[in-house]
């Protein structure tokens, strides 16, 4: 069997998105700073980020339907092209000193909507690009790609905005253009023809598929709760670190070490997912968080906290690999876009609510109280995950196909 490293189509998809994600994360970190520079309003910065997130959530379910209706490669191409044009227009406006808040809000909406269209199309295309036996490895490598792109892009964005407020967006436009060119050479085997129904009916079919299967419903719940509590916990730890006088540079290292843990975890995920049962892989990440989360109460050094974050991130890619591989293999090709859309909306909602929850907890329970409450919530979910009969009966990899 041809290894993934020699799979031309997978290499094109992976490399094009690696480049695109670096540019995207560079402009994402720069966006609120630039909005603040242009408008002088912190509320405007928050508005732009909120529009991006809301657009992604609103387009998530329809995006899954379109990924199943349309040619998936074309959906990815048009998404990259639209993002390139949007950020290029903003770069030009900033260069000329003509950027306005409505323009920046519109660009944020385009970026969020395009990601909601691209992700289901990519997820649904993956099983047609790589063999089933290599799907878990491909999923884990995609996770590593995202983590590396986030770390590199975040570091690059801070530097680029110091060079010029328009520069991060010009670089982002270039990376999307390069990704577009790479995808032009991508070949995705055509999907079998599927019956077309009313758009809303097809959207509801996607929801029914996920919610009507206990194993998919439960794993979606696991992923949502994990995202919710960890997002809340992360913000609580940042607030706690600041209150304890941890230097800003060390806080930045904490975030970088979290990303590094995710990268290492993604690289070892294929081997771990082969050694562990699905239930062990999923429950393992919850147990790791349960054991590690309370330790933050006793740590006041940013580097040690970063090591703790890295440890907490290490097993998450294995659970993600197991869940995503199972979902893609068990979902018919005609429904894969919608399944991905449903999951992306669920995870995006949890990721959006998590920081809000963390902020409220940090305000109501200053100091270690918020940390212990988050850790307690994670522990309760861990017990439920460990004992859940559906997860205990989760099929092994050799019977997933």
């Amino acid at each position: 069997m041809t290894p993934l490293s020699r799979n031309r189509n997978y290499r094109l998809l992976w490399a094009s998105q690696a480049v695109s994600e670096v540019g995207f994360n560079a402009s994402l970190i720069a966006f609120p700073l630039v909005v603040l520079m242009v408008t002088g309003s912190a509320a405007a910065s928050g508005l732009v980020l909120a529009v991006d997130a809301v657009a992604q959530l609103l387009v998530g379910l329809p995006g899954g339907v379109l990924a199943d209706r349309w040619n998936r490669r074309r959906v990815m191409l048009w998404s990259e092209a639209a993002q390139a044009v949007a950020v290029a227009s903003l770069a030009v406006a900033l260069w000329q000193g003509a950027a306005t808040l409505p323009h920046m809000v519109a660009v944020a909406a385009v970026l969020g909507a395009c990601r909601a269209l691209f992700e289901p199309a990519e997820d649904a295309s993956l099983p047609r690009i790589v063999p089933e036996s290599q799907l878990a490895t491909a999923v884990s490598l995609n996770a590593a790609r995202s983590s590396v792109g986030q770390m590199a892009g975040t570091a690059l964005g801070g530097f680029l905005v110091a060079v010029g407020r328009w520069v991060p967006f010009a670089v982002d436009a270039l990376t999307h253009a390069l990704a577009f060119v790479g995808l032009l050479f991508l070949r995705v085997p055509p999907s079998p023809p599927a019956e077309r129904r009313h758009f809303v009916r097809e959207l509801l079919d996607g929801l029914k598929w996920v919610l009507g299967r206990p194993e998919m419903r439960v794993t979606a719940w696991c992923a949502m709760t994990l995202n919710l509590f960890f997002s809340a916990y992360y913000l609580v730890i940042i607030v706690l670190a600041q209150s304890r006088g941890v230097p800003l540079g060390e806080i930045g290292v904490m975030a970088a070490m979290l990303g590094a843990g995710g990268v290492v975890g993604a690289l070892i995920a294929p081997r771990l997912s082969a050694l562990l049962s699905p239930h062990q892989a999923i429950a393992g990440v919850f147990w790791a968080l349960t054991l590690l989360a309370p330790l933050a109460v006793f740590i006041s050094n940013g580097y040690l906290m970063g090591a703790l974050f890295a440890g907490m991130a290490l097993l998450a890619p294995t659970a993600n690999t197991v869940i995503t591989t199972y979902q893609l293999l068990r979902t018919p090709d005609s429904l894969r876009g919608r399944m991905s859309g449903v999951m992306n909306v669920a995870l995006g909602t949890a990721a959006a609510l998590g920081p809000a929850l963390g902020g409220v907890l940090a305000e109501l329970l200053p100091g270690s109280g918020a940390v212990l409450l988050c850790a307690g919530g994670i522990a309760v979910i861990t017990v439920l995950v460990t004992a859940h009969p559906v997860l205990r009966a989760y099929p092994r990899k050799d019977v997933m196909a």
Side-chain angles (χ1 to χ4, degrees), residues 333-400:
D333 182 81
S334 60
L335 281 165
R336 281 175 178 152
R338 279 167 281 180
M339 181 276 294
S340 176
V342 171
M343 292 301 299
N344 289 339
V345 168
L347 295 179
T349 301
L353 292 177
L357 174 62
V360 171
L361 292 178
E363 188 75 24
L364 296 177
L365 299 169
S368 301
V371 175
L372 294 175
L373 185 60
C374 286
I378 294 172
V380 171
I381 300 299
T382 299
V383 172
L384 295 176
V385 167
T386 304
H388 203 291
V390 171
L391 289 175
R392 294 180 67 85
Y394 213 71
R396 297 189 64 88
K397 187 175 68 174
D398 55 359
V399 296
M400 281 187 189

Side-chain angles (χ1 to χ4, degrees), residues 49-50 53-54 56-57 224 227-228 231-232 235 344-359:
L49 292 179
V54 169
Q56 193 168 4
L57 291 176
M224 284 182 66
N227 263 23
L228 177 69
S231 297
L235 184 64
N344 289 339
V345 168
L347 295 179
T349 301
L353 292 177
L357 174 62

Side-chain angles (χ1 to χ4, degrees), residues 15-145:
S16 67
Q17 289 315 292
V19 170
S20 179
E21 287 186 20
V22 171
F24 162 71
N25 283 289
S27 65
L28 182 66
I29 193 69
F31 218 155
L33 299 175
V34 170
V35 174
L36 187 60
M37 292 176 188
V38 172
T39 66
S41 169
S45 294
L47 172 64
V48 168
L49 292 179
V51 166
D52 178 280
V54 169
Q56 193 168 4
L57 291 176
L58 290 178
V59 180
L61 295 181
V65 177
L66 296 177
D68 288 334
R69 278 192 167 202
W70 294 349
N71 181 292
R72 289 161 180 165
R73 172 176 166 272
R74 290 178 183 170
V75 171
M76 290 188 281
L77 281 168
W78 279 110
S79 297
E80 288 290 359
Q83 290 179 88
V85 171
V87 291
S89 73
L90 182 55
V92 171
L94 289 167
W95 180 42
Q96 296 180 341
T100 63
L101 181 59
H103 185 183
M104 291 185 283
V105 167
V107 169
V110 170
L111 296 180
C114 285
R115 289 201 306 283
L117 290 169
F118 188 99
E119 289 171 4
E122 181 187 19
D123 290 344
S125 298
L126 201 57
R128 307 201 66 78
I129 293 174
V130 304
E132 288 185 358
S133 61
Q134 296 178 339
L135 186 58
T137 303
V139 169
S140 64
L141 288 176
N142 283 1
R145 178 194 75 195

Side-chain angles (χ1 to χ4, degrees), residues 227-394:
N227 263 23
L228 177 69
F229 276 102
F230 187 75
S231 297
Y233 178 84
Y234 179 78
L235 184 64
V236 165
I237 293 301
I238 297 299
V239 173
L240 181 64
Q242 288 180 321
S243 69
R244 290 180 175 178
V246 175
L248 291 177
E250 290 187 21
I251 292 177
V253 171
M254 286 165 49
M257 292 180 73
L258 174 65
V263 173
V264 174
L267 294 177
I268 65 175
R271 183 174 295 275
L272 286 180
S273 63
L275 292 174
L276 302 175
S277 72
H279 181 243
Q280 289 171 338
I282 296 169
V285 66
F286 282 93
W287 275 109
L289 293 177
T290 297
L291 295 174
L292 293 175
L295 298 181
V297 172
F298 309 103
I299 298 174
S300 57
N301 179 279
Y303 300 110
L304 290 178
M305 188 67 74
L308 180 66
F309 273 167
M312 296 175 77
L314 199 61
L315 290 181
T318 299
N320 176 70
T321 296
V322 168
I323 292 172
T324 303
T325 302
Y326 174 85
Q327 291 171 339
L328 288 173
L329 289 178
R330 281 298 180 95
T331 302
D333 182 81
S334 60
L335 281 165
R336 281 175 178 152
R338 279 167 281 180
M339 181 276 294
S340 176
V342 171
M343 292 301 299
N344 289 339
V345 168
L347 295 179
T349 301
L353 292 177
L357 174 62
V360 171
L361 292 178
E363 188 75 24
L364 296 177
L365 299 169
S368 301
V371 175
L372 294 175
L373 185 60
C374 286
I378 294 172
V380 171
I381 300 299
T382 299
V383 172
L384 295 176
V385 167
T386 304
H388 203 291
V390 171
L391 289 175
R392 294 180 67 85
Y394 213 71

